[in-house]
Amino acid sequence: MRVMLAEDSILLREGLVRLLAEEGHQVTAAVGDADALVAAIAADPPDAVVVDVRMPPTHTDEGLRAALEIRRRWPAVGVLVLSQYVEKRYAVELLTSQSGGVGYLLKDRVAQVGEFLDALARVGDGGAAFDPEVVRQLLARTSHTDPLSRLTVRERAVLDHMAQGHTNATIAAQLHVSQSAVEKHVNAIFDKLDLAHVTGYSRRVLAVLRYLGG
């Protein structure tokens, strides 16, 4: 996969370049600010980008704004956002910008090499990858939502994994149940969230958005 990186920490940036190269990926650009990332993509769009939320000059939301611009201008480019802390507004805004090809991980997750590479692969393939801690904190503000209160413990567990971007097969493996059982839970979720007869939109995405309060 062809990947671009935007991270102002030189040590982390170079570490990611080395890691990705060792895994067989081609890093076509590694820059220290959001403007340089957008310029690099305009010149030669990659398969995916990894971008920090906070970068120069203000270290507030430059990376997020670049991620949203990339999703708008180059929707085929997967975007994996890294953040030191859970930025709830940023996570919801990124999730609601597109239905696929996006991810949001805490930087601590990068140390879990396998999880980081799996998230990047999912995003590059047009899927989603959201850090479990990000999902947990987003859900903390939606526990009072009536439709969600109708879900069983198992259905909430399935929806939690859906919010992280996992497929039914992966959810089945992680919850140690059959894939058909997961499919039944997913259909029950659609029913309870009044999405069973929705057409023209991804019911899976709509379910996740309701779950996250988007």
Side-chain angles (χ1 to χ4, degrees):
M1 184 163 45
R2 300 173 69 253
V3 183
M4 288 186 179
L5 305 174
E7 166 61 57
D8 63 311
S9 168
I10 296 177
L11 288 178
L12 179 56
R13 186 170 71 239
E14 293 305 314
L16 288 173
V17 169
R18 180 173 180 178
L19 170 64
L20 293 173
E22 290 177 350
E23 292 295 321
H25 300 299
Q26 179 185 1
V27 179
T28 58
V31 298
D33 63 81
D35 289 342
L37 174 64
V38 172
I41 295 173
D44 183 21
D47 299 310
V49 301
V50 179
V51 55
D52 188 8
V53 166
R54 299 185 177 188
M55 288 191 293
T58 68
H59 294 278
T60 54
D61 63 352
E62 285 85 356
L64 174 79
R65 287 189 281 107
L68 294 173
E69 180 179 354
I70 293 165
R71 296 299 294 150
R72 184 179 68 255
R73 295 176 60 184
W74 300 281
V77 176
V79 177
L80 180 60
V81 172
L82 301 180
S83 179
Q84 189 68 42
Y85 309 102
V86 178
E87 309 272 6
K88 294 183 181 180
R89 176 174 64 84
Y90 296 161
V92 171
E93 188 171 357
L94 182 64
L95 178 61
T96 56
S97 67
Q98 291 285 343
S99 62
V102 294
Y104 188 112
L105 293 184
L106 295 180
K107 284 188 175 181
D108 289 346
R109 198 69 58 183
V110 177
Q112 307 298 321
V113 174
E115 293 184 31
F116 168 70
L117 292 173
D118 175 68
L120 181 60
R122 275 190 276 156
V123 168
D125 287 338
F130 282 77
D131 195 292
E133 180 61 18
V134 173
V135 173
R136 187 190 69 78
Q137 292 199 29
L138 289 173
L139 295 181
R141 65 179 187 171
T142 64
S143 59
H144 64 281
T145 306
D146 288 340
L148 298 179
S149 67
R150 300 164 57 191
L151 302 182
T152 66
V153 173
R154 178 62 79 182
E155 288 164 357
R156 288 184 70 91
V158 169
L159 192 46
D160 176 76
H161 282 73
M162 286 170 58
Q164 295 174 40
H166 294 295
T167 63
N168 287 355
T170 304
I171 294 172
Q174 295 193 0
L175 295 182
H176 306 290
V177 298
S178 67
Q179 187 168 337
S180 63
V182 172
E183 291 170 354
K184 290 180 181 178
H185 289 311
V186 170
N187 288 331
I189 291 167
F190 292 157
D191 286 336
K192 292 180 180 181
L193 297 184
D194 298 321
L195 298 173
H197 303 293
V198 170
T199 58
Y201 297 92
S202 168
R203 292 183 298 172
R204 199 177 186 92
V205 172
L206 291 175
V208 169
L209 293 179
R210 290 192 183 182
Y211 194 40
L212 300 181

